[in-house]
Amino acid sequence: MFELSDGLEYIFDWLVSLNPDYLDGYNPGLTRQKIDEIIKELPFNLSEEIYKLYQWRNGCA
């Protein structure tokens, strides 16, 4: 797992422990295939960290 994902999960778990309703405000992550479909027209590649961010709760934070 990437350090970014670890940090995001830690923060998210902390927020949910304070208020479980936070869970409802976050989207589920996207699959790598869905991300590739969305970005296929972009003239550049995404880094692995960006992929991981969108696979984690659809990039919402």
Side-chain angles (χ1 to χ4, degrees), residues 6-24:
D6 292 340
L8 290 170
E9 277 302 318
Y10 179 82
I11 293 167
F12 185 73
D13 291 344
W14 175 73
L15 286 172
V16 171
S17 74
L18 294 175
N19 184 349
D21 292 335
Y22 281 127
L23 185 59
D24 296 334

Side-chain angles (χ1 to χ4, degrees), residues 2 6 11-13 16-17 27-28 33 37 39-40 52:
F2 285 74
D6 292 340
I11 293 167
F12 185 73
D13 291 344
V16 171
S17 74
N27 298 324
Q33 293 79 18
E37 181 183 318
I39 66 162
K40 66 184 175 192
K52 290 296 177 187

Side-chain angles (χ1 to χ4, degrees), residues 32-46:
R32 187 163 188 116
Q33 293 79 18
K34 182 65 175 172
I35 297 167
D36 286 338
E37 181 183 318
I38 292 169
I39 66 162
K40 66 184 175 192
E41 301 289 328
L42 293 178
F44 54 86
N45 295 323
L46 298 180

